[in-house]
Amino acid sequence: MIDLPVFKNKKLFEQAFTHRSYLNETKEKISSNERLEFFGDSIISFVVSKFLYNKYGNFDEGSLTNMRSLLVNTKSLAQIARELNFGKLLRLSKGEEESKGRESTSLLANCFEAFIGALFLDQGVGQVTKFLSKVLLPKAELYHSKKALKDPKSLLQEIIQAKNQISPAYKVLKEEGPAHNKFFTVGVFSNDVLLSEGRGKSKQEAEKDAAEHALLTFGSKT
């Protein structure tokens, strides 16, 4: 188990784990982790991009983007948050608690982004890089060794076209959240039959997630 960095500013640490629902049930004058999440998302992208640029000098832009997507997507960040037991630290409303918010992939990923944003404000990019070098960046070599860089949407299209001579279709099934923090659920269909669903902070991320799940159904992995 990796120890979390010790914060100088304890309020920043607490804010990183404060879901907006918690504010309705407390008299504390505190802020939710949404602004930290927004900030942390950019910090993670920067650190990961710099790492990949330096480590994989033979990668073109597409491969670098693909690898970064594998590292920073919602599912990946949520898994790290689970490994670090972030769910236990989340401050949630009773309603979120009852709906198993501590296990929610989106909440955990958002919390991880907020934590990184808070860590940057507390200790700077050096400590963020040091921390991500322990929990996130090593996964790049794992993906590389598994040759996971092929775009899952392209691979799924090859499989479907070989089988049915048609391309899979993607449809947005649900949009959740405010305009600045949308979350999409997308379905991938073949001959109007739903193969799988995916979720993400953008339509593109949700489509990719749906394709990954569909590939598991076909017994293939990217």
Side-chain angles (χ1 to χ4, degrees), residues 34-47:
E34 288 182 334
R35 281 169 56 84
L36 287 175
E37 174 200 335
F38 163 79
F39 186 50
D41 177 46
S42 297
I43 299 300
I44 293 170
S45 182
F46 167 73
V47 172

Side-chain angles (χ1 to χ4, degrees), residues 139-192:
K139 295 179 184 290
E141 193 54 38
L142 177 64
Y143 290 135
H144 188 230
S145 65
K146 287 186 174 181
K147 299 184 179 176
L149 290 183
K150 184 153 189 165
D151 175 37
K153 288 180 65 177
S154 298
L155 182 55
L156 180 63
Q157 180 165 319
E158 289 176 8
I159 294 172
I160 297 295
Q161 285 183 331
K163 191 174 182 180
N164 301 324
Q165 278 73 54
I166 59 169
S167 297
Y170 296 86
K171 298 177 184 177
V172 175
L173 304 179
K174 191 190 302 182
E175 291 186 27
E176 303 170 274
H180 71 280
N181 192 27
K182 283 280 190 184
F183 209 79
F184 297 87
T185 300
V186 167
V188 56
F189 296 78
S190 177
N191 276 332
D192 293 323

Side-chain angles (χ1 to χ4, degrees), residues 21-208:
S21 65
Y22 181 80
L23 305 186
N24 300 322
E25 299 180 1
T26 182
K27 294 180 179 179
E28 295 179 66
K29 291 184 178 180
I30 55 175
S31 300
S32 76
N33 63 6
E34 288 182 334
R35 281 169 56 84
L36 287 175
E37 174 200 335
F38 163 79
F39 186 50
D41 177 46
S42 297
I43 299 300
I44 293 170
S45 182
F46 167 73
V47 172
V48 169
S49 297
K50 181 180 178 182
F51 168 78
L52 295 176
Y53 182 85
N54 290 331
K55 183 172 180 62
Y56 299 104
N58 60 322
F59 277 19
D60 60 17
E61 180 188 5
S63 296
L64 290 170
T65 300
N66 198 328
M67 178 69 86
R68 183 177 62 191
S69 177
L70 287 169
L71 290 170
V72 306
N73 66 40
T74 300
K75 190 186 301 182
S76 172
L77 298 185
Q79 181 56 39
I80 296 171
R82 289 189 182 94
E83 292 167 2
L84 296 171
N85 288 322
F86 274 16
K88 292 182 179 179
L89 298 172
L90 273 169
R91 300 203 288 182
L92 306 169
S93 67
K94 291 180 181 177
E96 284 289 346
E97 189 86 53
E98 290 171 358
S99 62
K100 297 185 178 180
R102 295 188 189 280
E103 302 171 21
S104 165
T105 295
S106 59
L107 261 107
L108 287 171
N110 292 345
C111 180
F112 184 80
E113 289 174 341
F115 179 81
I116 294 302
L119 181 59
F120 178 91
L121 292 175
D122 192 65
Q123 299 176 35
V125 70
Q127 287 301 315
V128 168
T129 302
K130 183 178 179 181
F131 181 67
L132 292 180
S133 293
K134 295 177 183 177
V135 302
L136 177 61
L137 301 181
K139 295 179 184 290
E141 193 54 38
L142 177 64
Y143 290 135
H144 188 230
S145 65
K146 287 186 174 181
K147 299 184 179 176
L149 290 183
K150 184 153 189 165
D151 175 37
K153 288 180 65 177
S154 298
L155 182 55
L156 180 63
Q157 180 165 319
E158 289 176 8
I159 294 172
I160 297 295
Q161 285 183 331
K163 191 174 182 180
N164 301 324
Q165 278 73 54
I166 59 169
S167 297
Y170 296 86
K171 298 177 184 177
V172 175
L173 304 179
K174 191 190 302 182
E175 291 186 27
E176 303 170 274
H180 71 280
N181 192 27
K182 283 280 190 184
F183 209 79
F184 297 87
T185 300
V186 167
V188 56
F189 296 78
S190 177
N191 276 332
D192 293 323
V193 175
L194 179 64
L195 300 178
S196 65
E197 295 181 9
R199 305 186 74 204
K201 290 184 177 181
S202 67
K203 292 178 184 177
Q204 291 80 7
E205 183 177 326
E207 288 175 358
K208 180 174 177 292

